[in-house]
Amino acid sequence: MLYTEALEYLYSLTNYERAPTDNYVATLKLDRVRDLLARLGNPHERYRTIHVAGTKGKGSTCAFIASCLRQLGLRVGLYTSPHLNNFRERIRVNDQLIEPEAVAALAQQIREAASDLPDITTFEATTAMGFLHFSNQDVDWAVVEVGLGGRLDATNVITPQVSVITSISYDHQHLLGDTLTSIATEKAGIIKPGVPVVSQSQTNEAMAVIERVARERGSPLTVVGRHWRWSASPPSLTKQSFEIKQVSLIRSKERPFVNDLEGWYEIALLGKHQIENAVTAVAAIDVIRNDLIATGAREFGARAIRDGLRQTRWPGRFQILRVDPPVVVDGAHNVDSANKLAFTLAEVFPGRRWTFLFGTLKDKDAAGMIKALNPRARRWIFSQPSDMPRALPADQLLSIAAQLKIAHATLATNLGQALESIIYNSEEPVCILGSIAFVGEALAHWARLSPTETISVLDA
C-alpha cells in the first residue's frame, strides 16, 4: 500500500469530520475500538499516557505538555486532530511527523485487522494507527488529544496517568447537547477511577459536573485558577511572560517559591488563554512528576519545563504571518474562541480595525462569531474552505451579515486570489479565521504567495 492509497482507504471509511450526521453519538462504540486494538496487540498499553479533552485549547495544551516532556529527555508521542495541511501532522514522535511509509504500512495493518469490523470510522482507524505507531517507536509517553466530546471518543480506551480538561464552551451542540452541563458531562467522561484530573477554570455549570464526576470516581482534582494561579506581563509581538504559583503553600521571604515548578515562564503563543493552557500543562506535569521520573525523566525541574514551554510552536493559533501591515491567522471556530481572538487582537495590536477573512462550517455559530468580532471589524470578506462538504457556503455567510445589518461585506470565492489581493494591494490589517480547515488552506496559500514572510507549517 502506498501513502496515497492509505489516505484513500482511511477517507473511504465513515468520516464524521467531513460529513457528520445527527446520529453520530449513537454510532460510537468503544467496544469496536477495543476489539480493533486487541487484534493489534493492545499497543496503547505499552506506554504511559496523558489524555486531554475540552472545547478549546486541547491542541495547544497537548503541544505544551509534549514539548516539556521532550525537554525532560523522554521519548514522546503526540496524537492530535484535525490537521492543518498534512495528515501526517496528527501523529508525531519527538515532534517528528510520521513518515509516509509508516502511514502506508500501518494503514495496511489496520485494514487487515478491521476487515470484518462493521462501521469502523476514519477517526477510529487513525487513532489505532497512532497508538500502534507509538508502540513501534518505543515511546515513553503519549500525549493524546480527544477528537470530539470525550466519553465515547475513540481515544477514551486509554487509562492515562492524568486526565486534563481545558476550557469548555458551546460547540457541537447537536452532538453533545445544548447545555454546558451536558457538554461537560461528555468531556468529563475521560475521568477514570483513581486517576488524577487537572481542569482549567470553568463556568459554575461545567465545573459542578467535573467536581461531581471526580468525586464519584475518586479522582484527585486540581483546578487552574484555584490551585495554580498566574499573573502576566504585557505581551510583545513574539512572546508573553508570566509568573505562576501554587496556592495554599506556606511561603516566606526566604522561600517565595515553594514548589520547584513555580516562577517565571515565557511562551511564543499569544493570548491570555494560551497562558492558561501553559499553566495547565505545568499543573499536569506536577501531578505526574513521580511517574515521569520513574520513566527516565532527567533533571526534573523548572529549567526543563521552562525550555519546553518557550520552545512550543502550534501553527494556526494567533499566528502572525506579517507584522506591518499585520496579517494574523487563528483557528477560532466558536463564539468563545472568537471572543478570545477579539481580546488578543486588541491586546497585541491596540487601536487597529481589521479586515476579517472568514470561512466556517455548517455546524458552527457563524452569526455569533461575526457578532463577537464585528466591533473590531473594518470590513468582512467571506469565503469557504475547499473540498470540505461541511463548509458553510460563502453566500450564506453574506446573508447572515446582511441580517446582522453589516454593510461592509463581500465574497471571495477563491481564497488564494483573496490572499494575493491582500498581500499585494492592501495596507489594512487582516485576520483570517473560522475553522482549522480554512486556516490550514490559507497558510498553504500564504506560503506559496509570500514564502519569505512566513515559516512552513510543517517546520514550525
Side-chain angles (χ1 to χ4, degrees):
M1 182 182 289
L2 300 175
Y3 175 67
T4 53
E5 294 172 329
L7 295 186
E8 288 174 3
Y9 161 68
L10 291 170
Y11 293 144
S12 73
L13 302 173
T14 304
N15 190 349
Y16 291 116
E17 283 186 14
R18 295 179 58 80
T21 63
D22 290 338
N23 67 343
Y24 168 80
V25 173
T27 68
L28 298 184
K29 307 289 183 184
L30 289 186
D31 286 344
R32 185 170 57 221
V33 184
R34 292 190 181 101
D35 191 359
L36 175 58
L37 289 167
R39 298 179 184 199
L40 297 168
N42 289 319
H44 60 301
E45 297 178 354
R46 300 174 191 162
Y47 40 82
R48 303 191 187 197
T49 55
I50 297 166
H51 203 191
V52 182
T55 306
K56 297 299 299 178
K58 302 189 300 292
S60 299
T61 302
C62 286
F64 281 129
I65 294 173
S67 181
C68 291
L69 266 55
R70 292 196 304 274
Q71 287 298 313
L72 290 170
L74 298 166
R75 188 163 176 80
V76 184
L78 175 61
Y79 180 68
T80 60
S81 62
H83 58 268
L84 277 169
N85 292 104
N86 190 317
F87 174 86
R88 296 167 50 217
E89 298 168 34
R90 297 178 179 232
I91 303 171
R92 313 180 191 212
V93 173
N94 278 6
D95 209 31
Q96 298 300 306
L97 308 188
I98 184 172
E99 294 294 332
E101 296 80 9
V103 173
L106 291 166
Q108 181 64 39
Q109 286 184 262
I110 299 298
R111 181 163 67 177
E112 293 172 358
S115 60
D116 61 343
L117 284 177
D119 304 320
I120 194 81
T121 71
T122 300
F123 187 74
E124 289 168 351
T126 303
T127 300
M129 286 176 57
F131 291 161
L132 186 56
H133 183 64
F134 298 153
S135 176
N136 292 343
Q137 292 292 309
D138 294 321
V139 302
D140 302 304
W141 287 79
V143 184
V144 179
E145 179 188 6
V146 166
L148 175 64
R151 180 175 62 93
L152 294 175
D153 189 75
T155 64
N156 203 29
V157 296
I158 61 176
T159 300
Q161 271 55 53
V162 61
S163 304
V164 179
I165 301 177
T166 62
S167 174
I168 295 174
S169 58
Y170 289 102
D171 204 2
H172 302 293
Q173 291 98 306
H174 63 298
L175 303 175
L176 304 179
D178 56 6
T179 68
L180 288 178
T181 294
S182 60
I183 295 171
T185 298
E186 294 299 321
K187 310 295 183 184
I190 71 165
I191 300 174
K192 303 297 192 303
V195 174
V197 57
V198 173
S199 174
Q200 291 185 356
S201 299
Q202 311 286 354
T203 63
N204 291 338
E205 190 177 349
M207 184 55 70
V209 173
I210 294 170
E211 290 175 335
R212 173 180 58 77
V213 174
R215 183 172 58 252
E216 291 173 350
R217 298 180 183 174
S219 302
L221 174 62
T222 299
V223 180
V224 173
R226 182 188 304 172
H227 302 109
W228 288 85
R229 294 180 183 173
W230 55 269
S231 58
S233 299
S236 69
L237 291 175
T238 58
K239 66 181 180 180
Q240 49 185 348
S241 302
F242 55 97
E243 182 187 39
I244 63 174
K245 286 187 177 182
Q246 191 174 12
V247 180
S248 301
L249 297 179
I250 299 175
R251 305 176 189 278
S252 65
K253 290 183 178 180
E254 293 74 24
R255 295 187 67 202
F257 299 120
V258 180
N259 186 312
D260 60 350
L261 296 186
E262 296 179 324
W264 280 91
Y265 293 83
E266 66 179 40
I267 56 175
L269 303 185
L270 301 180
K272 290 291 193 299
H273 56 289
Q274 293 292 8
I275 296 179
E276 186 166 23
N277 293 335
V279 176
T280 302
V282 173
I285 289 168
D286 183 61
V287 165
I288 59 171
R289 64 165 65 207
N290 290 336
D291 291 299
L292 294 170
I293 293 170
T295 53
R298 65 180 182 227
E299 297 182 13
F300 189 95
R303 176 180 297 179
I305 307 307
R306 187 175 294 113
D307 290 343
L309 294 185
R310 187 179 62 250
Q311 294 176 22
T312 301
R313 300 294 183 269
W314 201 235
R317 284 73 176 178
F318 205 89
Q319 183 178 356
I320 301 173
L321 302 182
R322 187 173 68 191
V323 173
D324 188 23
V327 176
V328 175
V329 294
D330 190 272
H333 56 263
N334 71 358
V335 175
D336 179 61
S337 55
N339 281 319
K340 289 174 179 175
L341 171 60
F343 181 88
T344 306
L345 287 171
E347 184 179 44
V348 179
F349 296 101
R352 302 288 188 117
R353 291 178 69 83
W354 296 79
T355 290
F356 289 109
L357 179 52
F358 182 64
T360 191
L361 306 180
K362 294 176 182 176
D363 57 340
K364 303 301 179 182
D365 184 0
M369 295 176 67
I370 292 171
K371 286 191 288 187
L373 288 162
N374 197 54
R376 306 202 179 278
R378 177 182 176 185
R379 65 185 179 113
W380 290 86
I381 302 173
F382 297 119
S383 188
Q384 64 192 71
S386 62
D387 191 30
M388 174 60 74
R390 289 171 60 199
L392 184 64
D395 58 352
Q396 291 188 29
L397 285 171
L398 194 62
S399 297
I400 292 171
Q403 294 169 11
L404 296 174
K405 302 186 184 306
I406 294 173
H408 302 291
T410 57
L411 294 182
T413 56
N414 186 300
L415 178 57
Q417 290 179 0
L419 282 172
E420 189 168 359
S421 175
I422 289 169
I423 293 172
Y424 297 118
N425 303 318
S426 174
E427 292 297 317
E428 58 195 296
V430 174
C431 179
I432 305 161
L433 78 148
S435 77
I436 294 296
F438 190 66
V439 165
E441 188 175 342
L443 283 169
H445 282 299
W446 184 270
R448 176 178 57 83
L449 294 168
S450 188
T452 61
E453 290 194 271
T454 189
I455 299 173
S456 166
V457 173
L458 297 185
D459 293 337

mmCIF file of all heavy atoms in Angstrom, residues 275-312:
data_model
loop_
_atom_site.group_PDB
_atom_site.id
_atom_site.type_symbol
_atom_site.label_atom_id
_atom_site.label_comp_id
_atom_site.label_asym_id
_atom_site.label_seq_id
_atom_site.Cartn_x
_atom_site.Cartn_y
_atom_site.Cartn_z
ATOM 1 N N ILE A 275 -1.708 31.379 27.986
ATOM 2 C CA ILE A 275 -1.059 31.306 29.299
ATOM 3 C C ILE A 275 -1.773 30.283 30.163
ATOM 4 O O ILE A 275 -1.141 29.443 30.830
ATOM 5 C CB ILE A 275 -1.040 32.681 29.985
ATOM 6 C CG1 ILE A 275 -0.183 33.672 29.184
ATOM 7 C CG2 ILE A 275 -0.525 32.559 31.426
ATOM 8 C CD1 ILE A 275 -0.141 35.065 29.779
ATOM 9 N N GLU A 276 -3.104 30.300 30.140
ATOM 10 C CA GLU A 276 -3.847 29.316 30.930
ATOM 11 C C GLU A 276 -3.567 27.899 30.443
ATOM 12 O O GLU A 276 -3.431 26.972 31.245
ATOM 13 C CB GLU A 276 -5.345 29.601 30.860
ATOM 14 C CG GLU A 276 -6.153 28.703 31.778
ATOM 15 C CD GLU A 276 -7.565 29.168 31.988
ATOM 16 O OE1 GLU A 276 -8.082 29.914 31.140
ATOM 17 O OE2 GLU A 276 -8.176 28.775 33.005
ATOM 18 N N ASN A 277 -3.437 27.724 29.116
ATOM 19 C CA ASN A 277 -3.084 26.401 28.591
ATOM 20 C C ASN A 277 -1.706 25.973 29.080
ATOM 21 O O ASN A 277 -1.485 24.804 29.438
ATOM 22 C CB ASN A 277 -3.114 26.413 27.066
ATOM 23 C CG ASN A 277 -4.510 26.602 26.499
ATOM 24 O OD1 ASN A 277 -5.500 26.286 27.144
ATOM 25 N ND2 ASN A 277 -4.590 27.133 25.289
ATOM 26 N N ALA A 278 -0.753 26.903 29.105
ATOM 27 C CA ALA A 278 0.604 26.585 29.559
ATOM 28 C C ALA A 278 0.622 26.250 31.052
ATOM 29 O O ALA A 278 1.300 25.305 31.479
ATOM 30 C CB ALA A 278 1.539 27.757 29.262
ATOM 31 N N VAL A 279 -0.109 27.021 31.850
ATOM 32 C CA VAL A 279 -0.171 26.737 33.286
ATOM 33 C C VAL A 279 -0.842 25.384 33.520
ATOM 34 O O VAL A 279 -0.446 24.618 34.418
ATOM 35 C CB VAL A 279 -0.916 27.862 34.035
ATOM 36 C CG1 VAL A 279 -1.063 27.524 35.517
ATOM 37 C CG2 VAL A 279 -0.169 29.185 33.865
ATOM 38 N N THR A 280 -1.834 25.056 32.716
ATOM 39 C CA THR A 280 -2.480 23.747 32.806
ATOM 40 C C THR A 280 -1.474 22.630 32.540
ATOM 41 O O THR A 280 -1.473 21.596 33.225
ATOM 42 C CB THR A 280 -3.640 23.659 31.803
ATOM 43 O OG1 THR A 280 -4.576 24.714 32.068
ATOM 44 C CG2 THR A 280 -4.350 22.315 31.890
ATOM 45 N N ALA A 281 -0.610 22.849 31.560
ATOM 46 C CA ALA A 281 0.432 21.861 31.266
ATOM 47 C C ALA A 281 1.363 21.690 32.460
ATOM 48 O O ALA A 281 1.716 20.557 32.832
ATOM 49 C CB ALA A 281 1.226 22.289 30.029
ATOM 50 N N VAL A 282 1.756 22.795 33.089
ATOM 51 C CA VAL A 282 2.641 22.724 34.263
ATOM 52 C C VAL A 282 1.950 21.979 35.400
ATOM 53 O O VAL A 282 2.553 21.119 36.066
ATOM 54 C CB VAL A 282 3.066 24.133 34.704
ATOM 55 C CG1 VAL A 282 3.840 24.076 36.025
ATOM 56 C CG2 VAL A 282 3.913 24.803 33.625
ATOM 57 N N ALA A 283 0.678 22.283 35.633
ATOM 58 C CA ALA A 283 -0.054 21.621 36.712
ATOM 59 C C ALA A 283 -0.154 20.117 36.464
ATOM 60 O O ALA A 283 -0.004 19.310 37.391
ATOM 61 C CB ALA A 283 -1.452 22.236 36.846
ATOM 62 N N ALA A 284 -0.396 19.729 35.217
ATOM 63 C CA ALA A 284 -0.484 18.297 34.889
ATOM 64 C C ALA A 284 0.859 17.607 35.093
ATOM 65 O O ALA A 284 0.925 16.483 35.617
ATOM 66 C CB ALA A 284 -0.964 18.131 33.451
ATOM 67 N N ILE A 285 1.928 18.278 34.680
ATOM 68 C CA ILE A 285 3.268 17.699 34.845
ATOM 69 C C ILE A 285 3.608 17.546 36.318
ATOM 70 O O ILE A 285 4.211 16.548 36.742
ATOM 71 C CB ILE A 285 4.295 18.562 34.105
ATOM 72 C CG1 ILE A 285 4.111 18.388 32.589
ATOM 73 C CG2 ILE A 285 5.725 18.224 34.513
ATOM 74 C CD1 ILE A 285 4.864 19.397 31.750
ATOM 75 N N ASP A 286 3.205 18.525 37.132
ATOM 76 C CA ASP A 286 3.462 18.432 38.566
ATOM 77 C C ASP A 286 2.753 17.225 39.169
ATOM 78 O O ASP A 286 3.310 16.515 40.021
ATOM 79 C CB ASP A 286 2.992 19.719 39.249
ATOM 80 C CG ASP A 286 3.293 19.728 40.736
ATOM 81 O OD1 ASP A 286 4.475 19.652 41.113
ATOM 82 O OD2 ASP A 286 2.329 19.794 41.532
ATOM 83 N N VAL A 287 1.530 16.962 38.727
ATOM 84 C CA VAL A 287 0.753 15.838 39.259
ATOM 85 C C VAL A 287 1.428 14.503 38.978
ATOM 86 O O VAL A 287 1.388 13.583 39.807
ATOM 87 C CB VAL A 287 -0.677 15.858 38.656
ATOM 88 C CG1 VAL A 287 -1.398 14.529 38.889
ATOM 89 C CG2 VAL A 287 -1.490 17.008 39.249
ATOM 90 N N ILE A 288 2.078 14.386 37.807
ATOM 91 C CA ILE A 288 2.649 13.086 37.414
ATOM 92 C C ILE A 288 4.167 13.064 37.513
ATOM 93 O O ILE A 288 4.821 12.199 36.917
ATOM 94 C CB ILE A 288 2.223 12.719 35.977
ATOM 95 C CG1 ILE A 288 2.696 13.799 34.992
ATOM 96 C CG2 ILE A 288 0.724 12.513 35.889
ATOM 97 C CD1 ILE A 288 2.508 13.414 33.528
ATOM 98 N N ARG A 289 4.744 13.969 38.271
ATOM 99 C CA ARG A 289 6.208 14.065 38.290
ATOM 100 C C ARG A 289 6.868 12.754 38.711
ATOM 101 O O ARG A 289 7.909 12.376 38.157
ATOM 102 C CB ARG A 289 6.676 15.223 39.184
ATOM 103 C CG ARG A 289 6.353 15.078 40.642
ATOM 104 C CD ARG A 289 7.174 16.066 41.474
ATOM 105 N NE ARG A 289 6.830 17.451 41.191
ATOM 106 C CZ ARG A 289 7.696 18.470 41.344
ATOM 107 N NH1 ARG A 289 8.937 18.228 41.752
ATOM 108 N NH2 ARG A 289 7.328 19.700 41.111
ATOM 109 N N ASN A 290 6.291 12.029 39.662
ATOM 110 C CA ASN A 290 6.901 10.761 40.079
ATOM 111 C C ASN A 290 6.875 9.739 38.943
ATOM 112 O O ASN A 290 7.837 8.974 38.767
ATOM 113 C CB ASN A 290 6.186 10.209 41.309
ATOM 114 C CG ASN A 290 6.462 11.033 42.554
ATOM 115 O OD1 ASN A 290 7.475 11.721 42.644
ATOM 116 N ND2 ASN A 290 5.558 10.975 43.516
ATOM 117 N N ASP A 291 5.786 9.708 38.182
ATOM 118 C CA ASP A 291 5.715 8.808 37.025
ATOM 119 C C ASP A 291 6.743 9.204 35.976
ATOM 120 O O ASP A 291 7.357 8.341 35.332
ATOM 121 C CB ASP A 291 4.318 8.839 36.406
ATOM 122 C CG ASP A 291 3.275 8.204 37.306
ATOM 123 O OD1 ASP A 291 3.409 7.004 37.603
ATOM 124 O OD2 ASP A 291 2.340 8.901 37.708
ATOM 125 N N LEU A 292 6.933 10.500 35.779
ATOM 126 C CA LEU A 292 7.908 10.966 34.798
ATOM 127 C C LEU A 292 9.326 10.563 35.215
ATOM 128 O O LEU A 292 10.124 10.110 34.386
ATOM 129 C CB LEU A 292 7.811 12.486 34.638
ATOM 130 C CG LEU A 292 6.503 13.006 34.028
ATOM 131 C CD1 LEU A 292 6.427 14.520 34.147
ATOM 132 C CD2 LEU A 292 6.391 12.582 32.570
ATOM 133 N N ILE A 293 9.623 10.733 36.481
ATOM 134 C CA ILE A 293 10.945 10.346 36.974
ATOM 135 C C ILE A 293 11.143 8.838 36.842
ATOM 136 O O ILE A 293 12.213 8.361 36.437
ATOM 137 C CB ILE A 293 11.110 10.805 38.439
ATOM 138 C CG1 ILE A 293 11.136 12.346 38.495
ATOM 139 C CG2 ILE A 293 12.380 10.226 39.050
ATOM 140 C CD1 ILE A 293 11.054 12.914 39.900
ATOM 141 N N ALA A 294 10.090 8.075 37.132
ATOM 142 C CA ALA A 294 10.192 6.610 37.050
ATOM 143 C C ALA A 294 10.439 6.130 35.627
ATOM 144 O O ALA A 294 11.015 5.054 35.420
ATOM 145 C CB ALA A 294 8.912 5.975 37.594
ATOM 146 N N THR A 295 10.026 6.923 34.638
ATOM 147 C CA THR A 295 10.217 6.517 33.242
ATOM 148 C C THR A 295 11.459 7.148 32.620
ATOM 149 O O THR A 295 11.631 7.096 31.402
ATOM 150 C CB THR A 295 8.977 6.880 32.400
ATOM 151 O OG1 THR A 295 8.652 8.267 32.571
ATOM 152 C CG2 THR A 295 7.794 6.026 32.802
ATOM 153 N N GLY A 296 12.306 7.759 33.455
ATOM 154 C CA GLY A 296 13.592 8.215 32.951
ATOM 155 C C GLY A 296 13.748 9.696 32.738
ATOM 156 O O GLY A 296 14.714 10.130 32.102
ATOM 157 N N ALA A 297 12.824 10.513 33.259
ATOM 158 C CA ALA A 297 12.969 11.958 33.111
ATOM 159 C C ALA A 297 14.260 12.418 33.771
ATOM 160 O O ALA A 297 14.563 12.052 34.899
ATOM 161 C CB ALA A 297 11.773 12.678 33.728
ATOM 162 N N ARG A 298 15.021 13.229 33.067
ATOM 163 C CA ARG A 298 16.306 13.688 33.599
ATOM 164 C C ARG A 298 16.171 15.106 34.145
ATOM 165 O O ARG A 298 15.410 15.922 33.626
ATOM 166 C CB ARG A 298 17.363 13.650 32.500
ATOM 167 C CG ARG A 298 17.077 14.625 31.360
ATOM 168 C CD ARG A 298 18.131 14.582 30.279
ATOM 169 N NE ARG A 298 17.840 15.560 29.246
ATOM 170 C CZ ARG A 298 17.866 15.309 27.952
ATOM 171 N NH1 ARG A 298 18.199 14.093 27.527
ATOM 172 N NH2 ARG A 298 17.596 16.256 27.083
ATOM 173 N N GLU A 299 16.883 15.412 35.155
ATOM 174 C CA GLU A 299 16.956 16.754 35.729
ATOM 175 C C GLU A 299 15.582 17.392 35.830
ATOM 176 O O GLU A 299 15.325 18.481 35.315
ATOM 177 C CB GLU A 299 17.877 17.644 34.878
ATOM 178 C CG GLU A 299 19.308 17.166 34.838
ATOM 179 C CD GLU A 299 20.196 18.085 34.028
ATOM 180 O OE1 GLU A 299 19.762 19.212 33.716
ATOM 181 O OE2 GLU A 299 21.311 17.687 33.698
ATOM 182 N N PHE A 300 14.665 16.695 36.509
ATOM 183 C CA PHE A 300 13.310 17.218 36.622
ATOM 184 C C PHE A 300 13.334 18.552 37.356
ATOM 185 O O PHE A 300 13.925 18.683 38.415
ATOM 186 C CB PHE A 300 12.408 16.231 37.368
ATOM 187 C CG PHE A 300 10.960 16.617 37.329
ATOM 188 C CD1 PHE A 300 10.131 16.091 36.364
ATOM 189 C CD2 PHE A 300 10.444 17.531 38.224
ATOM 190 C CE1 PHE A 300 8.796 16.459 36.303
ATOM 191 C CE2 PHE A 300 9.123 17.908 38.178
ATOM 192 C CZ PHE A 300 8.291 17.369 37.214
ATOM 193 N N GLY A 301 12.676 19.550 36.802
ATOM 194 C CA GLY A 301 12.611 20.842 37.454
ATOM 195 C C GLY A 301 12.179 21.918 36.503
ATOM 196 O O GLY A 301 11.865 21.682 35.325
ATOM 197 N N ALA A 302 12.144 23.149 37.011
ATOM 198 C CA ALA A 302 11.584 24.274 36.261
ATOM 199 C C ALA A 302 12.383 24.587 35.001
ATOM 200 O O ALA A 302 11.815 25.062 34.018
ATOM 201 C CB ALA A 302 11.518 25.507 37.163
ATOM 202 N N ARG A 303 13.711 24.328 35.011
ATOM 203 C CA ARG A 303 14.505 24.697 33.837
ATOM 204 C C ARG A 303 14.025 23.953 32.600
ATOM 205 O O ARG A 303 13.805 24.547 31.541
ATOM 206 C CB ARG A 303 15.987 24.411 34.074
ATOM 207 C CG ARG A 303 16.851 24.681 32.849
ATOM 208 C CD ARG A 303 18.307 24.399 33.116
ATOM 209 N NE ARG A 303 18.846 25.264 34.151
ATOM 210 C CZ ARG A 303 20.090 25.207 34.593
ATOM 211 N NH1 ARG A 303 20.930 24.290 34.105
ATOM 212 N NH2 ARG A 303 20.519 26.045 35.521
ATOM 213 N N ALA A 304 13.827 22.644 32.731
ATOM 214 C CA ALA A 304 13.374 21.863 31.581
ATOM 215 C C ALA A 304 11.964 22.261 31.174
ATOM 216 O O ALA A 304 11.657 22.378 29.975
ATOM 217 C CB ALA A 304 13.431 20.372 31.902
ATOM 218 N N ILE A 305 11.092 22.478 32.147
ATOM 219 C CA ILE A 305 9.718 22.854 31.835
ATOM 220 C C ILE A 305 9.695 24.241 31.196
ATOM 221 O O ILE A 305 8.950 24.496 30.242
ATOM 222 C CB ILE A 305 8.836 22.813 33.100
ATOM 223 C CG1 ILE A 305 8.968 21.456 33.798
ATOM 224 C CG2 ILE A 305 7.390 23.116 32.748
ATOM 225 C CD1 ILE A 305 8.705 20.264 32.903
ATOM 226 N N ARG A 306 10.537 25.136 31.701
ATOM 227 C CA ARG A 306 10.615 26.487 31.118
ATOM 228 C C ARG A 306 11.061 26.419 29.661
ATOM 229 O O ARG A 306 10.503 27.088 28.791
ATOM 230 C CB ARG A 306 11.569 27.338 31.949
ATOM 231 C CG ARG A 306 11.598 28.810 31.547
ATOM 232 C CD ARG A 306 12.470 29.620 32.500
ATOM 233 N NE ARG A 306 11.895 29.655 33.838
ATOM 234 C CZ ARG A 306 12.426 29.090 34.914
ATOM 235 N NH1 ARG A 306 13.558 28.403 34.803
ATOM 236 N NH2 ARG A 306 11.846 29.183 36.085
ATOM 237 N N ASP A 307 12.078 25.597 29.380
ATOM 238 C CA ASP A 307 12.542 25.439 27.997
ATOM 239 C C ASP A 307 11.461 24.810 27.122
ATOM 240 O O ASP A 307 11.269 25.202 25.966
ATOM 241 C CB ASP A 307 13.804 24.568 27.954
ATOM 242 C CG ASP A 307 15.024 25.276 28.535
ATOM 243 O OD1 ASP A 307 14.986 26.509 28.665
ATOM 244 O OD2 ASP A 307 16.006 24.573 28.849
ATOM 245 N N GLY A 308 10.752 23.836 27.686
ATOM 246 C CA GLY A 308 9.704 23.184 26.915
ATOM 247 C C GLY A 308 8.593 24.132 26.521
ATOM 248 O O GLY A 308 8.142 24.133 25.371
ATOM 249 N N LEU A 309 8.146 24.954 27.463
ATOM 250 C CA LEU A 309 7.088 25.914 27.151
ATOM 251 C C LEU A 309 7.575 26.949 26.146
ATOM 252 O O LEU A 309 6.859 27.301 25.196
ATOM 253 C CB LEU A 309 6.602 26.603 28.426
ATOM 254 C CG LEU A 309 5.880 25.736 29.460
ATOM 255 C CD1 LEU A 309 5.366 26.599 30.603
ATOM 256 C CD2 LEU A 309 4.735 24.951 28.833
ATOM 257 N N ARG A 310 8.785 27.458 26.355
ATOM 258 C CA ARG A 310 9.302 28.500 25.469
ATOM 259 C C ARG A 310 9.450 28.007 24.032
ATOM 260 O O ARG A 310 9.256 28.766 23.078
ATOM 261 C CB ARG A 310 10.654 29.002 25.999
ATOM 262 C CG ARG A 310 11.178 30.222 25.214
ATOM 263 C CD ARG A 310 12.506 30.727 25.752
ATOM 264 N NE ARG A 310 13.551 29.734 25.634
ATOM 265 C CZ ARG A 310 14.109 29.090 26.639
ATOM 266 N NH1 ARG A 310 13.715 29.325 27.875
ATOM 267 N NH2 ARG A 310 15.070 28.209 26.451
ATOM 268 N N GLN A 311 9.793 26.748 23.851
ATOM 269 C CA GLN A 311 10.045 26.220 22.513
ATOM 270 C C GLN A 311 8.794 25.674 21.818
ATOM 271 O O GLN A 311 8.861 25.248 20.669
ATOM 272 C CB GLN A 311 11.106 25.117 22.599
ATOM 273 C CG GLN A 311 12.469 25.624 23.033
ATOM 274 C CD GLN A 311 13.480 24.505 23.201
ATOM 275 O OE1 GLN A 311 13.326 23.429 22.638
ATOM 276 N NE2 GLN A 311 14.532 24.762 23.984
ATOM 277 N N THR A 312 7.650 25.712 22.498
ATOM 278 C CA THR A 312 6.432 25.173 21.905
ATOM 279 C C THR A 312 5.961 26.044 20.749
ATOM 280 O O THR A 312 5.858 27.265 20.873
ATOM 281 C CB THR A 312 5.308 25.082 22.955
ATOM 282 O OG1 THR A 312 5.735 24.237 24.030
ATOM 283 C CG2 THR A 312 4.036 24.520 22.337
#
